[in-house]
Amino acid sequence: MDMLKGACIIGQSGGPTAVINASAYGAIRAALDAEAITRVYGAAHGIRGVLDDKLYIMDEEDPEELKLLLNTPSSELGSCRYKMKDPDEDETDYKRILEIFKKYDVHYFFYNGGNDSMDTCNKVSKYMQRVGYPCRVMGIPKTIDNDLFGTDHCPGYASAAKYIATSCMEVSKDATVYDNAQITVVEIMGRHAGWLAAAAGLATYFGAGPDLIYLPEVDFDMDKLYADVDRIYATKNKVLIAVSEGIHYADGRFVSEAETSATDGFGHAQLGGLAVKLADALKNHLGGVKVRGIELSLLQRCGAHLASANDVKEAELAGRVAVESAVAGKTDYMVAFKRVMQDGQYTCETELLPLAEVANYEKKVPLEWINADRNGVTKDFIDYALPLIQGQPERPTECSLPRYARLKKVLAK
Amino acid sequence: MDMLKGACIIGQSGGPTAVINASAYGAIRAALDAEAITRVYGAAHGIRGVLDDKLYIMDEEDPEELKLLLNTPSSELGSCRYKMKDPDEDETDYKRILEIFKKYDVHYFFYNGGNDSMDTCNKVSKYMQRVGYPCRVMGIPKTIDNDLFGTDHCPGYASAAKYIATSCMEVSKDATVYDNAQITVVEIMGRHAGWLAAAAGLATYFGAGPDLIYLPEVDFDMDKLYADVDRIYATKNKVLIAVSEGIHYADGRFVSEAETSATDGFGHAQLGGLAVKLADALKNHLGGVKVRGIELSLLQRCGAHLASANDVKEAELAGRVAVESAVAGKTDYMVAFKRVMQDGQYTCETELLPLAEVANYEKKVPLEWINADRNGVTKDFIDYALPLIQGQPERPTECSLPRYARLKKVLAK
């Protein structure tokens, strides 16, 4: 195969993670090192940076600062949630992207994100093929939600899982410290898939975690919650509960949004999240016991100080493999992970999946990994998740606080 | 001085911290090693354990497990918020304590806590003196609030401060990632003193922190907040705000509890905390911009995985010095910290303060350490706080999750 010479664009999209910058580093470093790639651009705020002609020249960055991306949370190039129209409906965006690709001689496009981003990748690639513009397009997976189809797990998930498990262990220590009764509800991200909330089960497995865990894979029932809590409350007067933000009633309404007669407070859904709502309902149910709702919020998404070394390594690998595969002639793939267990030892290998196959599917927690009582996870989930969260990455600090990459972000003219 | 032979009781009180167990370890280890101390009891849930005759025999614990207390958050012996009456009013509790002291031949009492606990110490000691029962009583300081009088800082503060600063750095990365406008409000503990919220200023100092910080030392004004936010919003469309939970209007009403006409939502104070309330108010003020309220909640209090090595070391020291001083004949003191700066190097020395002098006073952030605009901290605060948060303690783990002390907690009969 002929070498395709040209510049590349690397973009970050969707919700940030603790390690999406590690993937960016893997891709940027590999692109800077690749003979075929003449210039490396980072798109400001993902595909918006392409549309708006805001590209940072990565070749201008200090290599040591770039390397700090390995431990810098969130999306350092900026992210977006812009959803492009189907090219059959409206070609405007695609024409503009082609214009920018031509302007900067771009023939490689790497896009790092979740389901929607893989869809964006796929549409851009199909358009370029249709108009006959040579461009190799690769998707790099990312999402704390862990819901991408076809990959054993997603970069970003493990670090969020580790943050959640560690935080639940700490909260379980704190929330049981008084002799008084106390109900604590921890709200964890995950609108449709319960992978993140399930990670609270790691804390339970190690003896200091939630008594009850509710995932969106199973319909939620308030009376079932009351019964579960009553049972635990009867033996110890403290109950710690972890819930996915996406739990919903059998009719599909999210608990976080639904009105309910269970408590007076539920009419004011705009204030306070699910954790506070459920804590309030349990307070009423138990007749005034002390309750506390805790939302892990953005903290779980960007807890780079608790990142998993495996996650950082694998995220970097995914970025690097995307670039190396494209240079070797591949296009229209997403880099995926395959778990290889040898003599009980976990290793992670990459494979390439056609973009069209992964875009817009959601992978959920298998029902067999949720316990029979539907309020916890099984050992199968622990065995799945535990290898992913292993290792503490090197963590550059400055006066004992994190030292993040400080990029120059020189704009291409 | 004659050696006072007898058993000792160590109790933990008030809100837990990341390092109160390090103080317990310092005290327990020193007591186990002291010739004068015949037996070491840990009170279950502080003074309640004494009143309820629930004492754990620390001599029965495995020394290696005990040592894990150095990195176990919260109060492993259990805590309480029980406030004893004045002995002049009601002697019941004091008589019971004397009975228990006699039953177990206790002549040393060490109590680890904040303002109220120093008051408890003082009352117990005065009573024992009055009835002529020989008992040496020492207070060990502890509070994330950092508001104890007479000590440069309090064990527990630095680790919470480090957690807050690190989390604010991570949130600042996450909350600025999209190209859209976004207002984020982080709520930090501290009902009367702003030491914890001020720690968010460390993140700002290192280039990735809140734009605005409001402390309870200064009256809060909603119009001033709007003006501050408008100014920043005009130059960049993202504003990150840190507030102490204790901010209050000029008339003394807590913002978290007050009704206000500034926003419709304010009538429903029972749901959602201050962060959500302020975020909601700013959403209305700016006409519908995306907002997010984040409450650091219990997480900031027990984030042992982010503990400061200096804090752990000093907390242990405080516990040890309390025991060694009592054995050497001292009583009715609290161990306090004195900061010694030599050639720009920070060291921490201990001194003993009479309990009667420290009990029930609150130390606040000096107004000179709050900036002229009353929305941030000065370099003086940074210079004060930075040495305290230094160092990453050794952190025992099990499968990359924290390994906490697992005590046997054998009850004395």
Side-chain angles (χ1 to χ4, degrees):
Chain A
M1 176 171 313
D2 285 345
M3 184 190 278
L4 176 63
K5 275 234 170 198
C8 79
I9 291 177
I10 292 161
Q12 299 177 306
S13 179
T17 79
V19 303
I20 187 170
N21 286 325
S23 285
Y25 179 71
I28 293 167
R29 188 66 263 164
L32 289 170
D33 294 343
E35 201 194 327
I37 296 179
T38 51
R39 206 155 183 80
V40 182
Y41 297 108
H45 298 291
I47 199 70
R48 282 258 35 118
V50 182
L51 294 167
D52 299 342
D53 197 357
K54 283 189 69 178
L55 303 176
Y56 305 126
I57 306 169
M58 292 295 114
D59 311 67
E60 303 270 349
E61 301 292 344
D62 172 1
E64 288 305 308
E65 284 297 326
L66 266 186
K67 203 171 177 188
L68 288 170
L69 285 175
L70 287 171
N71 305 90
T72 303
S74 190
S75 307
E76 192 57 25
L77 301 173
S79 184
C80 68
R81 289 198 186 274
Y82 184 72
K83 181 121 181 159
M84 294 206 296
K85 293 215 176 81
D86 200 281
D88 294 337
E89 271 175 56
D90 185 348
E91 284 200 346
T92 318
D93 283 347
Y94 299 88
K95 282 184 174 163
R96 173 65 175 159
I97 292 169
L98 178 61
E99 186 186 352
I100 296 292
F101 279 13
K102 283 181 176 168
K103 176 175 175 185
Y104 294 104
D105 192 31
V106 169
H107 294 282
Y108 292 93
F109 181 60
F110 304 104
Y111 210 45
N112 195 178
N115 278 310
D116 289 345
S117 309
M118 295 308 119
D119 186 53
T120 301
C121 264
N122 200 26
K123 284 174 180 162
V124 169
S125 182
K126 291 290 165 299
Y127 181 83
M128 296 301 159
Q129 283 167 29
R130 185 143 63 83
V131 298
Y133 182 83
C135 186
R136 295 185 189 149
V137 176
M138 297 288 287
I140 306 167
K142 166 273 12 167
T143 169
I144 59 166
D145 291 327
N146 203 38
D147 60 353
L148 275 174
F149 183 80
T151 182
D152 177 76
H153 58 282
C154 301
Y157 170 63
S159 295
K162 189 171 182 173
Y163 183 94
I164 290 162
T166 304
S167 296
C168 281
M169 291 182 83
E170 292 176 343
V171 166
S172 89
K173 282 284 168 192
D174 189 301
T176 57
V177 77
Y178 294 111
D179 45 353
N180 319 55
Q182 183 170 338
I183 310 289
T184 309
V185 183
V186 179
E187 176 182 341
I188 296 166
M189 283 181 169
R191 203 69 175 158
H192 303 292
W195 294 103
L196 290 170
L202 291 165
T204 309
Y205 182 75
F206 286 98
D211 302 289
L212 301 165
I213 303 169
Y214 299 98
L215 308 186
E217 278 77 4
V218 176
D219 291 339
F220 183 80
D221 182 298
M222 193 64 85
D223 291 327
K224 167 76 160 52
L225 172 71
Y226 291 154
D228 287 351
V229 168
D230 286 346
R231 203 182 57 252
I232 293 162
Y233 192 75
T235 59
K236 51 175 188 174
N237 63 351
K238 293 161 193 78
V239 188
L240 179 58
I241 302 155
V243 292
S244 164
E245 65 175 340
I247 54 168
H248 53 79
Y249 296 112
D251 64 7
R253 287 172 310 145
F254 285 118
V255 178
S256 60
E257 287 167 4
E259 299 271 333
T260 160
S261 57
T263 164
D264 299 342
F266 272 24
H268 316 306
Q270 74 284 4
L271 278 187
L274 175 63
V276 174
K277 247 177 155 172
L278 288 178
D280 201 47
L282 286 164
K283 182 177 194 149
N284 285 3
H285 172 68
L286 293 168
V289 63
K290 185 179 173 196
V291 298
R292 197 184 272 269
I294 301 174
E295 193 183 340
L296 295 187
S297 191
L298 300 186
L299 300 163
Q300 69 200 291
R301 198 159 75 175
C302 278
H305 71 274
L306 263 180
S308 141
N310 278 354
D311 197 18
V312 172
K313 203 169 60 185
E314 293 170 2
E316 183 190 9
L317 176 72
R320 191 169 70 235
V321 166
V323 170
E324 289 171 353
S325 303
V327 167
K330 303 282 185 189
T331 186
D332 292 329
Y333 289 101
M334 181 188 85
V335 178
F337 291 151
K338 219 168 57 180
R339 175 186 302 243
V340 180
M341 296 298 289
Q342 272 183 328
D343 307 325
Q345 277 297 101
Y346 162 90
T347 53
C348 178
E349 293 180 358
T350 60
E351 58 184 338
L352 301 182
L353 299 179
L355 277 174
E357 283 182 21
V358 292
N360 293 323
Y361 290 92
E362 271 177 354
K363 192 179 73 170
K364 305 199 172 187
V365 178
L367 288 179
E368 316 86 75
W369 292 5
I370 302 173
N371 68 5
D373 281 347
R374 301 314 197 201
N375 56 22
V377 295
T378 67
K379 182 67 166 39
D380 284 337
F381 172 78
I382 304 295
D383 292 340
Y384 166 81
L386 207 49
L388 309 181
I389 67 163
Q390 295 308 300
Q392 167 78 15
E394 199 194 339
R395 199 162 75 81
T397 56
E398 178 174 40
C399 296
S400 280
L401 290 172
R403 169 67 164 86
Y404 298 143
R406 291 170 188 151
L407 301 188
K408 287 184 260 179
K409 298 190 181 174
V410 179
L411 276 174
K413 292 275 160 64
Chain B
M1 175 171 315
D2 286 343
M3 183 190 281
L4 176 64
K5 274 235 172 199
C8 80
I9 291 176
I10 292 160
Q12 300 178 306
S13 180
T17 78
V19 303
I20 187 171
N21 286 325
S23 285
Y25 179 71
I28 292 167
R29 188 67 262 164
L32 289 170
D33 295 342
E35 201 193 325
I37 296 180
T38 51
R39 206 155 183 77
V40 183
Y41 297 108
H45 299 290
I47 198 71
R48 283 256 37 115
V50 182
L51 294 167
D52 300 341
D53 196 359
K54 282 188 71 178
L55 303 177
Y56 306 125
I57 307 169
M58 291 294 115
D59 310 67
E60 303 271 347
E61 301 292 344
D62 171 3
E64 287 306 307
E65 284 297 326
L66 266 185
K67 202 171 178 190
L68 288 170
L69 285 175
L70 287 171
N71 304 92
T72 303
S74 189
S75 308
E76 192 58 25
L77 302 173
S79 184
C80 68
R81 288 200 186 274
Y82 184 72
K83 181 120 181 159
M84 294 206 298
K85 296 217 174 82
D86 201 281
D88 295 337
E89 270 175 57
D90 185 348
E91 282 200 349
T92 317
D93 283 347
Y94 300 88
K95 282 184 173 161
R96 173 66 175 159
I97 292 169
L98 179 60
E99 185 184 352
I100 296 291
F101 279 12
K102 283 182 175 167
K103 176 175 176 185
Y104 294 103
D105 192 32
V106 169
H107 293 283
Y108 293 93
F109 181 60
F110 305 104
Y111 211 44
N112 194 179
N115 277 311
D116 288 345
S117 309
M118 296 306 120
D119 186 52
T120 301
C121 266
N122 201 25
K123 284 175 179 163
V124 168
S125 183
K126 291 290 167 297
Y127 181 82
M128 297 300 158
Q129 284 167 28
R130 184 143 63 81
V131 298
Y133 182 84
C135 186
R136 295 186 190 150
V137 176
M138 297 288 286
I140 307 166
K142 167 273 7 168
T143 169
I144 60 166
D145 291 329
N146 204 38
D147 60 354
L148 275 173
F149 183 80
T151 182
D152 176 75
H153 58 283
C154 301
Y157 170 64
S159 295
K162 189 171 181 173
Y163 183 94
I164 290 162
T166 304
S167 296
C168 281
M169 291 181 82
E170 291 178 341
V171 167
S172 89
K173 281 286 169 190
D174 189 302
T176 57
V177 77
Y178 294 111
D179 44 352
N180 319 54
Q182 182 170 337
I183 309 288
T184 309
V185 182
V186 179
E187 176 182 341
I188 296 166
M189 282 180 169
R191 203 67 175 161
H192 303 292
W195 294 103
L196 289 170
L202 291 165
T204 308
Y205 182 74
F206 285 98
D211 303 290
L212 301 165
I213 302 170
Y214 299 98
L215 309 185
E217 278 77 4
V218 177
D219 291 339
F220 183 80
D221 183 296
M222 193 63 83
D223 290 326
K224 167 76 158 52
L225 171 71
Y226 292 154
D228 287 351
V229 168
D230 286 346
R231 203 182 57 252
I232 292 161
Y233 192 75
T235 61
K236 53 177 186 172
N237 64 352
K238 292 161 194 76
V239 187
L240 178 59
I241 302 155
V243 293
S244 165
E245 63 176 341
I247 54 168
H248 53 80
Y249 296 113
D251 64 9
R253 287 173 308 146
F254 284 117
V255 177
S256 59
E257 288 166 5
E259 298 269 336
T260 162
S261 58
T263 162
D264 301 341
F266 271 23
H268 316 305
Q270 74 282 7
L271 281 186
L274 175 62
V276 173
K277 247 176 152 171
L278 289 178
D280 200 48
L282 287 164
K283 183 179 194 147
N284 285 3
H285 172 68
L286 292 169
V289 64
K290 186 180 173 194
V291 299
R292 198 185 272 268
I294 300 174
E295 194 184 338
L296 295 187
S297 192
L298 301 185
L299 300 163
Q300 69 200 291
R301 199 161 73 175
C302 277
H305 71 274
L306 264 179
S308 140
N310 277 354
D311 197 18
V312 172
K313 202 169 60 186
E314 293 170 2
E316 184 190 8
L317 176 71
R320 192 170 69 234
V321 166
V323 170
E324 289 171 353
S325 303
V327 167
K330 302 283 185 189
T331 186
D332 291 329
Y333 289 101
M334 181 188 83
V335 178
F337 291 150
K338 219 169 57 181
R339 175 186 303 243
V340 181
M341 296 297 290
Q342 272 184 327
D343 307 325
Q345 277 297 100
Y346 163 89
T347 52
C348 178
E349 294 179 358
T350 60
E351 59 183 338
L352 300 182
L353 298 181
L355 278 173
E357 282 183 22
V358 294
N360 294 323
Y361 290 93
E362 271 177 355
K363 192 179 73 170
K364 305 199 172 188
V365 178
L367 287 179
E368 315 87 76
W369 292 5
I370 302 173
N371 68 6
D373 281 346
R374 299 316 196 200
N375 55 21
V377 296
T378 67
K379 182 67 167 38
D380 284 336
F381 172 79
I382 304 295
D383 292 339
Y384 166 81
L386 207 49
L388 309 182
I389 67 162
Q390 294 308 300
Q392 167 79 14
E394 199 194 340
R395 197 162 77 80
T397 56
E398 178 174 38
C399 294
S400 281
L401 290 172
R403 169 66 165 87
Y404 298 143
R406 291 168 188 151
L407 301 188
K408 288 184 259 179
K409 297 189 182 174
V410 179
L411 275 174
K413 293 275 161 65

